[in-house]
Amino acid sequence: MPDVAFWQGNEALAHGALAAGCRFFAGYPITPSTEIAEIMAEELPKLNGRFIQMEDEIAGIAATIGGSIAGRKALTATSGPGFSLKQENLGFAYIAEIPIVVVDVMRGGPSTGLPTRTAQQDVMQARWGTHGDHGTICYAPSSVQECYEIAIKAFNAAERYRQPVLILSDEIIGHMREKVVPPTIKPEDLVERKRPTDIPEKFVPYRPDPKDDLPCMASFGDGYTWHITGLTHNDWGFPTNNSDEIEKMMKRLMRKIDRFRDDIVEYETVLTDDADVLVLAYGSVARTSLRAVHEARTRGIKAGFFRPITLWPFPDKELEKLARKVKTIIVPELNCGQMVLEVERAVHGKAKVVAQNLVNGELFKPEDILSVIEEVA
Amino acid sequence: MPSQEVFNWLRTRFFPHIWCPGCGHGIIMHSLLRALVDLKKKKTETVIASGIGCSSRMVGYIDACTVHTTHGRSLAFATGIKLANPELTVVDVMGDGDCTAIGGNHFIHACRRNIDITAIVMNNNIYGMTGGQVSPTTPVGSLATTSPYGAIDPSFDICKLAEGAGASYVARTTIANPKQAEQFIKAGINNKGFSVVEILTHCHTQFGRRNKRRTPIDNVNFFKANSVPLNKAQEMSPEELAEKIVVGEFVKREIPEYTAQYLSIIERVGGLKNGK
Ligand SMILES: Cc1ncc(C[n+]2csc(CCOP(=O)(O)OP(=O)(O)O)c2C)c(N)n1
Ligand code: SF4
Ligand SMILES: [Mg+2]
């Protein structure tokens, strides 16, 4: 690992995944995520890892889940159309509780949309894209350095909570070059999945550990037999139609995120102590927003900045506290108004919420956001 | 009754099974288990993947490393498992709809890669689980709930498809010959590469009922009367073979296997010394 690197976001993400212990990648090429696959193809065999280009994104995530079931930390990466194709098997990973990391480097949609231009139109898909209820863990990096760090966090969360974890990058973050100082990773910085300690005869694959309510996970090949299914199942992993067992499984799945919400949620605030106007932004938009906030300050406006690092779970409690103090929250997004709905839900009328939207494939300029700050101040 | 060794591979805790009494899928499960016992496979090193369908429910009842995936996608899951740990024996059981409709793309690519997985296609010519809809292997003219006036689209020849796509072992038999099914499954598992064993079976409930093969025994008799061994078939005209089921081993060839090739890349780039 170099001490300092000059990487694209996608490169940093791939190297971060490798540093996190990722030893399996399966995917299908799609702009603007392809560099991640290319780097994994080159680097994984050198680490006795495994890379495979599958026949489509459905197969890409399926093989990724397979790699994880066989005991490897596993990654797949894609963009809008591929993210849509992955949704069914993403749901499989939620219900079967298989740790994987899925990267979506966002481009404009719907459909083939804008392959080479940026957007933030998949944030609700990340939350609700697969059918059925489930908790979501989703990170949004806003710098190249952060791509590296978030890759490690995402693997740690996936392995700890035994579920898929998403990273929503975007075309600008993915392709932008910046200086990266890869942090030194010690073994204790990495989470390894909890293995069963019971003898094989006593192993109940989905029985939660009373300490943390999470079941441990055996890998195929490490001495246990067990059943994995996408059907609603009991602690034995066997399909059930029993109402009590159904409810028990669903509630525990949801509880994973609820219970550990405070450990998972991450956000950043700048100049919020005395702010009247708050700009809430994530991903590439956070960068221009922060510029605009600083500029507003030089013009005497008490502006502040709030950046959710986890889009899901959304830092709603933390935002709500701030909403009691500020008058207005501006939510600039490269979509027609998605995260703003979550902001409205979180602040619950305590501050005025103003959406600012751009869907022409470009990024906001700081002055665009500054002018809205000035308008509402 | 199954032998004690076969019985040991069953998860009786999950019985009763969901299959209709007399369903052909159970015969295939028994053949598979006899093959695994005979090959002295260890349950903890044997993976059995499946998709979605009556056929795919088989894996729940087998005490091994079993994964019941999504409809049509099991081979993609199995590919990931095999590549991640090539020491595992990987078998994949699928229905005809699972394998050749929604999973058709994964099927041909698994054949093409010649990855060391044994695919058992449980072909009952119908979508059993969802109540008897037409499948890509429903014979022309047959009745199904979504071909109420008779199927008009020609059906796939799964073995030819597998051969064309690059599988290194391809065989077909029927549930009327469970001994042969066991033998072909063993040959498939022993083959270092992608193996396809198509086993014609019946869904008397959904297909037979509508197509004059109402009872399980009607179907067994049908398979017995219409099976033609490969060597005999080679002497028959296409007209004579039209309604027949050609059984036998169609392909046995040595082609480089995918995971072996990948491991040699790892060796070449010095990955082995870097651990798992
Ligand atoms: C994505 C998706 N589409 C459709 C279904 C509904 N479905 C379940 S099983 C099945 C067909 C099963 O037929 P086959 O594979 O031949 O298996 P059989 O039941 O005949 O053994 C279908 C269409 C599904 N589960 N998932
Ligand atoms: S519906 Fe058909 S395939 Fe399904 S269990 Fe019954 S007989 Fe077997
Ligand atoms: Mg069928």
Side-chain angles (χ1 to χ4, degrees), chain A residues 67-362:
Chain A
S68 180
I69 289 172
R72 290 171 182 270
K73 290 187 181 176
L75 174 73
T76 187
T78 188
S79 183
F83 196 47
S84 292
L85 285 177
K86 288 185 194 293
Q87 294 299 328
E88 189 198 7
N89 283 336
L90 187 60
F92 180 91
Y94 281 116
I95 199 169
E97 300 182 69
I98 309 298
I100 56 167
V101 176
V102 180
V103 177
D104 171 14
V105 185
M106 289 183 283
R107 64 194 227 181
S111 191
T112 309
L114 289 170
T116 60
R117 307 295 291 275
T118 201
Q120 297 179 313
Q121 296 175 18
D122 304 349
V123 294
M124 283 295 167
Q125 188 187 20
R127 178 66 190 92
W128 301 112
T130 193
H131 57 280
D133 278 326
H134 59 277
T136 305
I137 303 177
C138 173
Y139 294 91
S142 73
S143 71
V144 176
Q145 176 80 27
E146 204 178 29
C147 285
Y148 188 94
E149 290 162 6
I150 275 180
I152 295 166
K153 283 180 191 169
F155 272 100
N156 282 350
E159 298 291 327
R160 174 168 292 134
Y161 304 113
R162 248 195 98 168
Q163 73 157 41
V165 171
L166 311 177
I167 299 176
L168 278 199
S169 178
D170 62 58
E171 190 279 331
I172 290 181
I173 299 297
H175 284 160
M176 177 173 70
R177 273 185 195 280
E178 278 185 321
K179 176 176 147 181
V180 179
V181 183
T184 333
I185 312 283
K186 298 183 287 303
E188 59 269 29
D189 299 331
L190 300 180
V191 176
E192 306 300 329
R193 69 188 66 163
K194 204 163 49 165
R195 302 278 177 188
T197 46
D198 283 335
I199 54 165
E201 292 72 30
K202 290 226 167 122
F203 176 55
V204 184
Y206 287 93
R207 185 156 62 201
D209 180 341
K211 285 204 285 292
D212 58 6
D213 204 29
L214 297 164
C216 55
M217 183 171 165
S219 304
F220 282 5
D222 68 4
Y224 293 84
T225 63
W226 56 297
H227 186 55
I228 305 175
T229 179
L231 284 166
T232 303
H233 45 267
N234 58 21
D235 283 357
W236 287 98
F238 200 71
T240 183
N241 267 319
N242 174 301
S243 313
D244 293 335
E245 286 183 338
I246 295 169
E247 187 164 356
K248 190 172 153 211
M249 186 207 79
M250 284 305 295
K251 290 239 162 101
R252 188 177 60 73
L253 281 189
M254 301 305 292
R255 225 167 35 228
K256 281 201 213 185
I257 305 300
D258 295 345
R259 185 171 173 153
F260 295 102
R261 184 240 177 239
D262 291 349
D263 295 341
I264 301 167
V265 164
E266 282 192 47
Y267 62 99
E268 180 194 0
T269 56
V270 180
L271 297 168
T272 51
D273 287 351
D274 61 344
D276 292 328
V277 181
L278 192 69
V279 182
L280 181 143
Y282 51 91
S284 55
V285 176
R287 304 167 68 94
T288 36
S289 299
L290 186 58
R291 247 310 268 294
V293 165
H294 285 302
E295 189 57 36
R297 285 273 169 176
T298 66
R299 300 185 186 189
I301 302 169
K302 287 185 179 161
F305 171 76
F306 188 102
R307 178 171 75 94
I309 297 170
T310 48
L311 298 183
W312 308 108
F314 186 74
D316 49 3
K317 282 194 292 192
E318 297 77 3
L319 181 64
E320 194 266 346
K321 266 190 210 135
L322 273 177
R324 293 183 213 162
K325 299 194 294 183
V326 304
K327 291 201 201 75
T328 309
I329 303 174
I330 303 168
V331 187
E333 293 184 87
L334 302 178
N335 57 44
C336 293
Q338 296 195 13
M339 232 30 193
V340 69
L341 301 172
E342 191 64 12
V343 173
E344 281 166 353
R345 186 188 70 77
V347 309
H348 216 80
K350 295 195 179 75
K352 192 175 162 207
V353 177
V354 176
Q356 187 181 2
N357 307 107
L358 188 67
V359 283
N360 65 358
E362 298 194 7

